[in-house]
Each structure stands twice: as structure tokens, then as C-alpha cells.
């Protein structure tokens, strides 16, 4: 299918409902990425094997071939377009290879030789060998590294746990005096510590990242699933030297929404554009599945430790939270990720004494990538499992603990953040009743204790059961870093022929259907009379100091723009559509922007927040050493649900996707899933990612109760339960309730 645009060449930002991979152009070349097979070292040369005859129409572009800028700066982070010589991580992009036949390119890729600087290699080998001699023992991994020389081994710091880590971002805040509380025996009748790790990898298995580019009529045309079009245009211009005002970008259908996809796509677009300009032909670049997963979706290592103090009545009196985030070799969004983790680290709970220390470290891994709407899920996994552990040790009900300590609503906030969770108390009560949580939790707790007390004495052991509860919020319109530099608004124009032009392109097909429904019902129009463009996004072109255009994925503005769209429709209804052209524009109120103080890190960090709660009930099969999910209950307060069926389907899909990630190389199934929304007339809220923040914690909480052993990490391996349930292992485990 030929690449087509939906508007005239006068527009510099266009949109297509096609995938870039389905597009073609006459005499099109294909391009693939060449990546470093080494994890460390300094590149001396990159060239083809001299024994191989390279087709004349194939071209190899390396760092030295970049005509203009070889590095770009994104949000204060310097990033190389291609490896500049010093290899930072294994799989780092070092070159781009283009030619008319993709199969030939894949064969030719094997003949690309990357040689390392000999002097640097010898110095590294000598340093590595001397360091190993000083060790009292040598691991098999180290021996293998030495045997593999002259292949470049990993540096010694990978084997040493005493070396310091380089911090690239940090967020700290303290409220009250947590140190004093922890030392007070009355206010700290219970002190519970936990270490939690969530490394779930949500693979998309959809179209990999890529670009189609060609030059025509003096313009450079780029087709790609870009989230950040202004950044893409800037990067392409800086790398190629092509005038920015002559770069026309068509955003194709987006499959991936991760932090890395926001900026790496711009680098790939620049490399594809450079190849097109050098060859004079259309070029389509596409990542392999492996490269896509390692560069676009590489999951981070995030470890969160909790130390919690409670008084004898179950009120949380102090929290001490430490967050460590492996950001990879570089990460322009490390500060934003840390801020979101720090905000969500206390969950839905109110506490007068809180200390949070969040750090992002650089490493020799690829840049870590997160779905920006799922960052909070890491923090919720930790805090919700911590609450479960508190319940196990203290004997308090998980339901009572959450209701006594819940923040938001009418309760005055004493920590630095304020939220409104709507009818969250009602939702927690409803999910407890719907799942019969209190009774089942008490029975499972008693059965677990009896199982340990009668270990080896009974000929029959009842099924090992557990039930877990988790709560979370989903914030939309994050008001943090760089937010005030962007202008969130929606503009609708009425043309002389009575058509409606929405100067904002919907971020997804489901949102588009909601917007169409609002306009059609509000203005009594047919679908063919409604047009979506993005002319408003270009209104700052040409200005001396235009505001930074932040990608929609970064701040989660879909629900806000839906509200603004509805206000535009209501304003148009009050006017007369009589053939006179006019426009209506609605923006985010200034008062909402001022609700959050980024410098002091206090206030209301989100435009609005949806609330959700979830229970998971399961049973362990002692014969197969596997868990059988019995029931999942989800209740969400997301304001007024504009499309109930679509919202329900979205939650069901999220549950199924989440279940497929909890155990590596396996998919859990549940025969009974219940999803319910509380009735509300409040403005619509973002609910799409609540499941990812609730379900993993509810699952591990249920598993911990059934096993009577704390499960602190996901995903599990297929043999994890077998190892935990071995009799000699179980006999050494601590009975919940007896730790204190």
C-alpha cells in the first residue's frame, strides 16, 4: 500500500490510521540497525568483511558519517545518535545498514566487522586479570570471561558489590519526624520491614518501532508512530541539517507507549532521514523484535524497601521508604520516573511522619523503559504488599487497616500530597462484601497457622488457600516537571459549511469513539461532518521561544482533553450554527496548574484521580505445585463512565494481560472475574491502568497467605512454588503472626 497523507502539504503535522510497516514507496530501500556484540570497549573500526562482495546499492552509516550533530540533548541528558566509540552497553546501536532487499541485508549484517581499540583492550585485559588475582576465589563466570579473551569481558565492577553506584537523579522528602517516632515504643508498637521488587515485563507483541522517510518537492516526509513530534522534528533537523520548517511528519498508528519510545523514535527517524538524503531514495527502517524489546521495552530493576511503624490501634505513625531504580546507560526521564515513584510510594495512606529517598543509578544496561501510565504500579506493588505483611504480623484486618489509614476524601491531608479518592471507603466495603473477604481471610489465616502447628501429625491436609486485597489510584494530568511549559487545551472550529473541525487528534481509537459520541450527541451531527486535525499543535511555530511541547503520554492528558472537548461542545451549543465560521477554545484552568508546587514538591500532583480496589482468591494444588485462581473482584470509582461497555472491556483486557505476566512463560487463568464501577456524576477520570497497580499486589498477597511465606517479588518462575512448598523448606518458614 502506498504511503498517503490525509491533508495538504501545507500542514507539517499529519495523522494516519495505517501502520508504518504497511506503507511502501517506489524504489524504496530497507534499513536495519547494527548493534554492538560487546558490552564494553572502544570501537576502532566498523566495516564490511573484505572477503565479502558488498552490493553497490547498499550503504553503511556509522557515527563518523553523521554530517551535523552527533549527540542530542533530551531533557538535559546527552545521548549519542550512534555509538561514539566507547561502548556503554551490549546491543548499543553502532550503525545503520540500508539496501533494496531486506533478506540480503540480514545476511550482509553478519559480515559487518566491529573491531576494538587494541591498546584499550590490552589495558582492560591486564587490569581485569590483576584484579582477579587479588580475589580469594574466582567464580566460574569470571573464569569463562578470561577464557573467552580476546572477546571483551564485562568489567570487574559487575562482580563487586562494594563499588559505589553513580546517581543520576534523586528525590528526597521528609514530613514530620519519622526517626523520633520509630524510637517511641508507644507510637511504634509494631515496626515492620519489607523489601519488594516488581520486574514484570509487559511485552506488546505488536508492530516494532520504525520509520518511512523520503524527500519530495523540497520537503522531507516522515511517517512514524511518534509520540513527540516536536522533538522528532528538532532531532532530524539537527542531525541532518535539513530545515525544520520543511520536515512534514505523519504520525502513524501507535503500538507502544513507553518512556524509551518517546525519544529513541526521534533518533531512528534522524538516521532514516539521513539515509534517505544520502541515497536520494525512500527508506523504510524497522527494528527487529529482539532489538525492539531490548531498546524500547527494556524493563527496569526497581527495588523498594519499606519500614513502617504502627501504634497499638493499627494507625500508621511513621513510614521510611527507600527506592532504588536502575536507569540504564542513560535515561532522560529518570527524574520524572523518580518523582512519580516518590509520590505513589505511600499509596493511598495518610501518615504524619514520612521519609522517602528515591535514587536513580546509571549502569551498563540498556536504558530502562516504563509505560509512563504504569510507573505508579511499581510503588503500589510495594506498599500494598507491605500492608498485607503488616496485617499478617499484627493480626489486624487488611480491610480495617486500609479504612483507618486511608488518605483523601474529607480527611485532612498531613503528608505533602493531596488527593481526592471519591467514594473509596464505599468501594473497599463493596469489594470486601462481594468477595466475602473478611470471612475467607480469617479462615485462611487460621488454616495456615494450624497447618504449621500440626505439621506431620495429620494424614489429611486441606487445600492451601489465600485471599489478597489491594488498592490503588490512577492519576491523570500529572502536574509535575515541565507541565507548566505545555499548554493543555482543545479547540473546535465550526466551518462555513457547518462542519466541525477538532484541532486535536485522539490518542487512541477508543478515545476517538468517545469524542465522536460526545460531539454527535451534543450537536446532533452525523459522523461524516466531524474532522480531526492537529493544526493547533503548530500554532507556536516561528516563535522566538516557543513553549516545550510535552508528549501526551508523559502527562496522561486523555481524560482532561475529554473534559475540555465536552466544554467546547457545550459552548458551541449556546451559539447558533448558521454558516458563520467561528472557533471555541477551552484550556486547563490556571488554578489547577497552581495546585502543585514542583519546587517544594507539595500539593495536588494530578488533575484528578480514579480509585480502584481488587481482591484475588486462590488455592494451591499440593500435587502439581501450582496455584489455581478462584475469583477476582474489581471495583473502580472512575467518575462518570462515558462508555461503560468500552470501560468494562478495557478492564477485562488489562486483567487478562496482567495474568499473563505474573509467572514467566505461563499464563494464569481465572474462571470467575467480576468488574464493577461505582455510580458517579463526577468528571470522567483515567482508569486504564488501575489493574496493573492492583492485581499483582493482590495476587502476591493471596499467595503469601496460602503459603504462609512472604512472596516479595514478581514475576515468579514456573518452579517457584515447588521450591517454596518442599517440606524441608516449609519447616523452616515463619508462621505469620509469630514474627513480632
Amino acid at each position: 500500500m502506498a504511503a498517503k497523507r490525509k491533508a495538504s502539504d501545507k500542514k507539517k503535522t499529519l495523522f494516519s490510521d495505517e501502520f508504518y510497516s504497511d506503507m511502501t514507496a517506489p524504489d524504496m530501500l530497507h534499513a536495519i540497525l547494527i548493534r554492538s556484540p560487546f558490552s564494553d570497549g572502544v570501537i576502532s573500526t566498523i566495516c564490511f568483511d573484505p572477503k565479502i562482495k558488498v552490493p553497490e546499492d547498499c550503504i553503511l552509516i556509522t557515527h563518523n558519517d553523521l554530517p551535523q550533530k552527533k549527540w542530542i540533548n533530551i531533557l538535559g541528558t546527552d545521548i549519542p545518535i550512534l555509538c561514539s566509540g566507547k561502548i556503554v552497553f551490549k546491543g548499543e546501536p553502532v550503525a545503520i545498514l540500508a539496501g533494496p532487499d531486506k533478506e540480503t541485508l540480514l545476511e550482509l549484517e553478519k559480515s559487518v566487522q566491529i573491531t576494538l581499540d587494541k591498546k584499550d583492550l590490552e589495558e582492560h585485559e591486564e587490569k581485569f586479570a590483576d584484579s582477579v588475582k587479588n580475589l580469594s576465589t574466582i567464580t566460574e563466570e569470571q573464569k569463562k570471561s578470561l577464557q573467552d579473551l580476546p572477546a571483551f569481558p564485562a568489567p570487574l565492577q559487575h562482580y563487586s558489590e562494594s563499588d559505589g553506584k553513580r546517581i543520576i537523579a534523586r528525590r528526597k522528602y521528609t514530613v514530620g519526624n519519622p526517626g523520633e517516632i520509630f524510637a517511641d515504643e508507644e507510637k511504634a508498637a509494631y515496626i515492620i520491614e519489607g523489601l519488594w521488587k516488581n520486574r514484570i515485563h509487559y511485552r506488546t507483541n505488536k508492530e516494532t518501532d520504525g520509520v518511512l522517510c523520503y524527500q519530495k518537492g523540497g520537503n522531507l516526509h516522515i511517517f512514524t508512530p511518534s509520540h513527540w513530534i516536536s522533538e522528532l522534528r528538532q532531532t532530524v533537523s539537527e542531525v541532518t541539517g535539513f530545515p525544520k520548517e520543511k520536515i512534514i511528519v505523519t504520525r502513524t498508528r501507535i503500538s507502544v507507549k513507553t518512556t524509551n519510545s518517546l525519544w529513541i523514535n526521534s533518533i531512528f527517524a534522524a538516521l532514516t532521514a539521513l539515509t534517505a538524503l544520502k541515497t536520494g531514495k525512500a527508506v523504510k527502517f524497522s527494528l527487529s523484535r529482539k532489538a525492539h524489546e531490548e531498546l524500547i521495552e527494556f524493563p527496569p530493576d526497581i527495588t523498594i524497601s519499606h519500614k513502617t511503624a504502627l501504634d497499638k490501634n493499627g494507625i500508621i505513625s511513621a513510614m521510611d521508604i527507600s527506592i532504588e531504580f536502575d536507569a540504564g546507560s542513560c535515561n532522560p526521564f529518570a527524574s520524572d520516573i523518580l518523582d512519580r515513584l516518590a509520590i505513589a510510594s505511600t499509596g493511598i495512606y495518610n501518615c504524619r511522619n514520612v521519609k522517602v529517598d528515591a535514587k536513580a543509578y546509571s549502569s551498563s544496561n540498556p536504558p530502562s523503559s516504563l509505560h509512563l501510565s504504569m510507573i505508579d504500579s511499581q510503588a503500589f506493588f510495594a506498599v500494598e504488599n507491605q500492608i498485607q505483611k503488616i496485617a499478617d504480623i499484627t493480626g489486624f484486618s487488611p480491610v480495617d487497616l486500609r479504612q483507618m489509614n486511608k488518605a483523601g476524601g474529607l480527611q485532612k491531608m498531613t503528608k505533602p500530597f493531596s488527593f481526592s479518592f471519591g467514594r473509596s471507603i464505599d468501594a473497599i466495603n463493596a469489594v470486601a462484601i462481594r468477595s466475602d473477604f473478611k470471612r475467607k481471610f480469617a479462615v485462611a489465616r487460621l488454616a495456615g497457622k494450624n497447618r504449621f502447628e500440626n505439621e506431620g501429625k495429620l494424614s489429611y491436609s486441606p487445600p492451601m488457600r489465600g485471599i489478597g486485597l489491594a488498592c490503588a489510584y490512577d492519576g491523570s494530568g500529572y502536574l509535575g516537571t515541565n507541565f507548566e511549559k505545555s499548554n493543555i487545551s482543545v479547540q473546535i472550529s465550526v466551518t462555513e459549511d457547518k462542519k466541525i473541525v477538532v484541532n486535536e487528534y485522539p490518542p487512541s481509537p477508543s478515545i476517538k469513539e468517545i469524542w465522536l459520541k460526545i460531539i454527535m450527541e451534543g450537536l446532533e451531527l452525523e459522523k461524516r461532518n466531524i474532522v480531526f486535525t492537529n493544526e493547533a499543535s503548530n500554532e507556536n511555530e516561528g516563535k522566538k521561544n516557543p513553549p516545550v511541547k510535552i508528549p501526551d503520554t508523559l502527562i496522561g492528558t486523555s481524560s482532561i482533553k475529554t473534559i475540555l472537548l465536552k466544554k467546547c461542545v457545550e459552548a458551541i451549543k449556546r451559539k447558533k450554527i448558521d454558516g458563520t465560521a467561528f472557533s471555541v477554545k477551552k484550556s486547563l484552568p490556571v488554578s489547577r496548574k497552581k495546585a502543585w508546587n514542583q519546587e517544594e514538591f507539595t500539593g495536588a500532583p494530578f488533575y484528578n484521580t480514579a480509585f480502584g480496589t481488587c481482591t484475588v482468591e486462590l488455592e494451591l494444588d499440593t500435587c502439581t505445585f501450582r496455584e489455581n485462581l478462584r475469583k477476582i473482584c474489581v471495583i473502580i470509582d472512575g467518575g462518570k463512565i462515558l462508555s461503560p461497555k468500552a470501560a468494562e472491556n478495557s478492564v477485562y483486557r488489562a486483567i487478562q494481560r496482567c495474568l499473563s505476566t505474573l509467572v514467566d512463560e505461563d499464563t494464569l487463568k481465572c474462571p470467575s472475574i467480576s468488574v464493577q464501577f461505582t455510580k458517579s456524576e463526577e468528571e470522567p477520570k483515567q482508569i486504564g491502568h488501575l489493574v496493573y497497580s492492583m492485581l499483582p499486589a493482590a495476587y502476591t498477597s493471596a499467595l503469601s497467605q496460602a503459603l504462609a511465606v512472604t512472596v516479595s517479588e514478581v514475576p515468579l518462575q514456573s518452579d517457584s512454588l515447588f521450591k517454596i512448598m518442599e517440606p524441608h523448606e516449609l519447616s523452616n518458614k515463619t508462621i505469620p503472626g509469630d514474627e513480632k
Side-chain angles (χ1 to χ4, degrees), residues 86-106:
K86 173 65 177 175
I87 300 170
V88 181
F89 63 91
K90 186 175 182 178
E92 184 177 5
V94 298
I96 186 170
L97 175 63
D101 181 64
K102 192 170 184 179
E103 294 299 322
T104 301
L105 292 179
L106 295 175

Side-chain angles (χ1 to χ4, degrees), residues 310-565:
L310 291 86
D311 64 20
K312 61 182 180 180
N313 297 316
I315 301 298
I316 297 175
S317 54
M319 290 182 171
D320 188 346
I321 303 169
S322 177
I323 302 170
E324 293 192 358
F325 164 46
D326 182 348
S329 60
C330 63
N331 201 314
F333 291 99
S335 294
D336 292 277
I337 291 171
L338 277 191
D339 284 354
R340 293 287 295 270
L341 289 172
I343 291 170
S345 62
T346 54
I348 66 166
Y349 306 104
N350 192 28
C351 183
R352 297 177 181 273
N353 303 278
V354 179
K355 178 185 176 183
V356 175
D357 188 1
K359 305 172 189 174
Y361 301 99
S362 64
S363 71
S364 57
N365 290 322
S368 297
S369 189
L370 280 164
H371 192 301
L372 274 160
S373 296
M374 295 185 193
I375 294 174
D376 298 343
S377 65
Q378 302 278 338
F380 283 115
F381 176 79
V383 70
E384 290 301 301
N385 273 294
Q386 180 73 3
I387 294 296
Q388 172 75 18
K389 188 172 184 178
I390 290 171
D392 288 340
I393 293 174
T394 63
F396 290 109
S397 162
V399 175
D400 295 340
L401 274 174
R402 287 173 169 86
Q403 291 180 338
M404 287 189 297
N405 293 285
K406 188 194 72 66
L410 299 177
Q411 185 175 351
K412 184 179 179 181
M413 295 300 299
T414 52
K415 61 182 181 179
F417 317 124
S418 59
F419 305 96
S420 177
F421 297 137
R423 299 170 58 191
S424 54
I425 292 292
D426 293 339
I428 294 173
N429 284 331
V431 81
I433 293 171
R434 195 174 187 85
S435 62
D436 195 12
F437 181 87
K438 289 188 175 182
R439 182 186 68 83
K440 291 178 179 178
F441 182 85
V443 170
R445 171 184 277 174
L446 184 61
K449 202 162 187 176
N450 288 339
R451 184 168 64 252
F452 279 94
E453 291 175 352
N454 296 289
E455 184 71 27
K457 298 179 182 179
L458 301 177
S459 58
Y460 168 75
S461 176
M464 302 162 68
R465 293 178 178 174
I467 186 167
L469 172 66
C471 300
Y473 63 75
D474 193 351
S476 58
Y478 174 53
L479 308 177
T481 308
N482 294 319
F483 180 85
E484 292 188 7
K485 297 179 183 178
S486 64
N487 180 26
I488 296 183
S489 62
V490 173
Q491 179 177 316
I492 297 181
S493 301
V494 180
T495 64
E496 293 179 354
D497 55 355
K498 300 182 180 180
K499 288 186 179 293
I500 298 296
V501 180
V502 183
N503 296 318
E504 185 71 41
Y505 204 80
S508 67
S510 61
I511 297 296
K512 184 176 181 179
E513 289 302 315
I514 291 174
W515 287 6
L516 283 170
K517 182 180 178 181
I518 291 173
I519 297 170
M520 288 189 294
E521 292 181 355
L523 302 178
E524 297 180 355
L525 291 173
E526 295 183 7
K527 187 175 181 178
R528 58 187 174 87
N529 292 322
I530 304 171
V531 179
F532 292 97
T533 71
N534 204 49
E535 292 177 347
S537 68
N538 297 322
E539 63 184 9
N540 294 307
E541 292 287 349
K543 291 185 178 180
K544 187 175 181 180
N545 295 305
V548 176
K549 185 69 176 179
I550 300 300
D552 287 347
T553 311
L554 178 61
I555 50 181
T557 57
S558 299
S559 63
I560 300 176
K561 289 184 176 179
T562 300
I563 295 169
L564 297 177
L565 179 92

Side-chain angles (χ1 to χ4, degrees), residues 220-274:
L220 189 63
H221 299 268
I222 298 175
F223 300 79
T224 185
S226 173
H227 297 269
W228 202 353
I229 293 174
S230 59
E231 178 62 36
L232 181 146
R233 187 180 283 114
Q234 179 72 24
T235 298
V236 171
S237 179
E238 290 180 351
V239 173
T240 64
F242 201 88
K244 189 166 63 172
E245 61 274 9
K246 293 186 177 182
I247 299 175
I248 299 174
V249 181
T250 299
R251 192 189 80 181
T252 57
R253 291 192 67 174
I254 291 176
S255 299
V256 183
K257 297 179 181 180
T258 62
T259 50
N260 285 2
S261 67
L262 299 179
W263 60 274
I264 291 183
N265 173 266
S266 298
I267 292 177
F268 293 155
L271 290 170
T272 308
L274 179 61

